[in-house]
Amino acid sequence: MGFLSFNEKYYTEALRRLEGRTLDRGEVYEVKQLLKLLDDLLDEGYTLLNRALEEKYGAVSRLRAILKAHNAEPFPVQKRIFSNMAYGDTEMDVEEVCRRLSKRTQRGITPSDAPFLADLINYCRWIPQQPDTAYVFLLRDAFLPYLYFKGSGKSGLYPWVINRDFLWQIAGKDTDDLLRLPIYEALERGISNYEDFFAFCKPRIRKVINSHSPLERALRELSDQISEKKILVIESGYCGTIPLTLAALDDRADFRLYTTAPFLYEIYQEKIFCRRYEQIRSFENLYAQDALMKFSSFRNGRFYVRTAADDRIWAKAAKEAAVLSIRV
């Protein structure tokens, strides 16, 4: 059970439903999302699933044939900005990155015209404002939402750079896969509501955390910094592995995602802003979130990053921040 077996079943069942008949607009849209999942993984270097689906079932070719038969095109793949980025050698606290970016937004610069930023603001406004709640923003992807909340004067904000690089450095290169595995196992078992899904995933995620002592210590140290009665974790989405991990560790934690993979729509429901998985790259592919900084280290309960060596990246990130009317 796991990533490959779940996806093989998921895609072959989808093909049985969708192939060989005339589809309505919603079903064509579903096919496009199915292909987008695979195209994004391939673009990020994960070739195993595409190869397995194509070699065993011709699945990728069959999905493309369905779209062609309905005069539809796949969603385009947005290339990630950071793939060719150079970063400086000096480490910087995330709060210092925020201060430096804020100074640039106060110089009367022309705001970015990136169309997705309007949707990002709507996502920020959608996140519930709750009393006695800490807001944890998972960076890099949620840096602009963090700045939006900070600029609005909201307190209890925590910018945490918990991503693949953090996990690899703290606990080893298989850790993110191990934390994600319970999600696919739950899906393979046919679990279709969040309560049962979380009840299944929680002990398995806790087992992974407990088996990596440095990771458990780091996450406990972070959790202990928060005095609020509730915690809301903010992220772009996909599987929600890190938000689930934090919820498994701390009973105060819940989360909100911009979107998720289509196979998690019904489970996450009110925890996601929209069901437009194809937009996730637009969320992640902003300069402030994809290119401005890179995780460097975690020590004494604080996150340190290295920032873009090219000043043009700072300028583009500041233009994006200016759209959100940030004044930190």
Side-chain angles (χ1 to χ4, degrees):
M1 298 176 73
F3 173 75
L4 271 178
S5 55
F6 165 74
N7 276 286
E8 286 187 8
K9 181 180 178 182
Y10 179 69
Y11 275 90
T12 54
E13 288 183 352
L15 282 165
R16 278 195 290 270
R17 283 191 297 106
L18 299 166
E19 207 169 27
R21 61 184 180 86
T22 300
L23 306 182
D24 61 30
R25 288 180 63 183
E27 290 169 324
V28 172
Y29 180 60
E30 180 184 355
V31 175
K32 294 176 68 170
Q33 286 193 326
L34 290 171
L35 266 174
K36 187 69 165 64
L37 281 165
L38 296 175
D39 287 343
D40 283 351
L41 285 171
L42 194 62
D43 184 60
E44 292 178 12
Y46 297 103
T47 61
L48 186 60
L49 178 59
N50 279 262
R51 187 167 65 248
L53 288 174
E54 187 64 16
E55 290 177 355
K56 290 184 180 181
Y57 312 105
V60 179
S61 298
R62 290 161 66 186
L63 288 169
R64 295 191 186 281
I66 292 172
L67 290 186
K68 185 176 181 180
H70 289 80
N71 298 312
E73 295 289 334
F75 289 118
V77 176
Q78 284 183 274
K79 293 295 181 181
R80 302 298 295 267
I81 302 169
F82 81 93
S83 58
N84 296 312
M85 283 295 303
Y87 294 91
D89 295 327
T90 303
E91 287 190 330
M92 189 182 302
D93 184 280
V94 170
E95 292 283 357
E96 179 61 23
V97 179
C98 176
R99 286 190 289 271
R100 293 192 183 191
L101 191 63
S102 175
K103 288 180 180 178
R104 287 177 175 261
T105 68
Q106 296 170 6
R107 298 175 185 172
I109 62 174
T110 303
S112 168
D113 59 359
F116 181 77
L117 287 168
D119 210 30
L120 180 62
I121 292 172
N122 288 334
Y123 170 59
C124 294
R125 291 171 176 166
W126 169 81
I127 295 169
Q129 299 278 341
Q130 301 171 333
D132 204 10
T133 299
Y135 289 79
V136 171
F137 298 84
L138 295 180
L139 278 51
R140 301 178 306 187
D141 293 345
F143 188 48
L144 285 173
Y146 164 66
L147 293 176
Y148 178 91
F149 271 66
K150 193 170 181 67
S152 70
K154 180 74 175 168
S155 60
L157 309 181
Y158 298 83
W160 290 359
V161 195
I162 302 179
N163 55 19
R164 187 183 305 152
D165 290 340
F166 168 86
L167 292 172
W168 286 6
Q169 186 180 113
I170 297 290
K173 287 202 170 186
D174 62 340
T175 312
D176 57 326
D177 290 331
L178 293 174
L179 291 170
R180 194 177 302 110
L181 180 60
I183 295 173
Y184 290 108
E185 290 177 335
L187 291 168
E188 279 197 283
R189 290 171 182 260
I191 296 174
S192 58
N193 66 83
Y194 182 76
E195 183 178 358
D196 293 341
F197 173 80
F198 185 64
F200 178 90
C201 291
K202 180 178 179 178
R204 290 161 175 82
I205 292 173
R206 289 287 294 268
K207 185 176 180 180
V208 175
I209 297 171
N210 294 342
S211 68
H212 293 79
S213 298
L215 176 62
E216 183 176 20
R217 285 196 300 271
L219 295 180
R220 290 289 183 193
E221 184 178 6
L222 289 166
S223 181
D224 289 345
Q225 295 175 8
I226 296 177
S227 61
E228 287 84 356
K229 291 182 179 179
K230 294 183 288 186
I231 299 171
L232 199 61
V233 182
I234 311 302
E235 197 200 24
S236 56
Y238 191 51
C239 284
T241 306
I242 303 303
L244 273 177
T245 297
L246 297 176
L249 184 74
D250 193 322
D251 291 337
R252 296 174 293 171
D254 194 4
F255 57 90
R256 294 294 184 271
L257 311 176
Y258 172 74
T259 191
T260 189
F263 47 76
L264 285 165
Y265 285 162
E266 294 305 319
I267 289 177
Y268 286 157
Q269 291 200 26
E270 76 281 356
K271 298 181 188 300
I272 58 173
F273 173 67
C274 67
R275 299 189 176 203
R276 300 191 298 272
Y277 166 78
E278 69 279 5
Q279 291 276 47
I280 197 167
R281 278 284 181 95
S282 296
F283 190 111
E284 298 169 348
N285 218 35
L286 294 161
Y287 284 92
Q289 303 191 152
D290 194 34
L292 183 62
M293 71 182 85
K294 178 180 177 63
F295 172 78
S296 181
S297 65
F298 174 80
R299 60 185 185 274
N300 301 321
R302 299 185 71 83
F303 294 93
Y304 295 88
V305 298
R306 292 184 293 120
T307 57
D310 189 340
D311 190 67
R312 291 173 295 181
I313 300 299
W314 279 90
K316 289 177 183 293
K319 286 176 177 290
E320 292 168 350
V323 176
L324 283 74
S325 300
I326 295 166
R327 295 293 183 268
V328 181

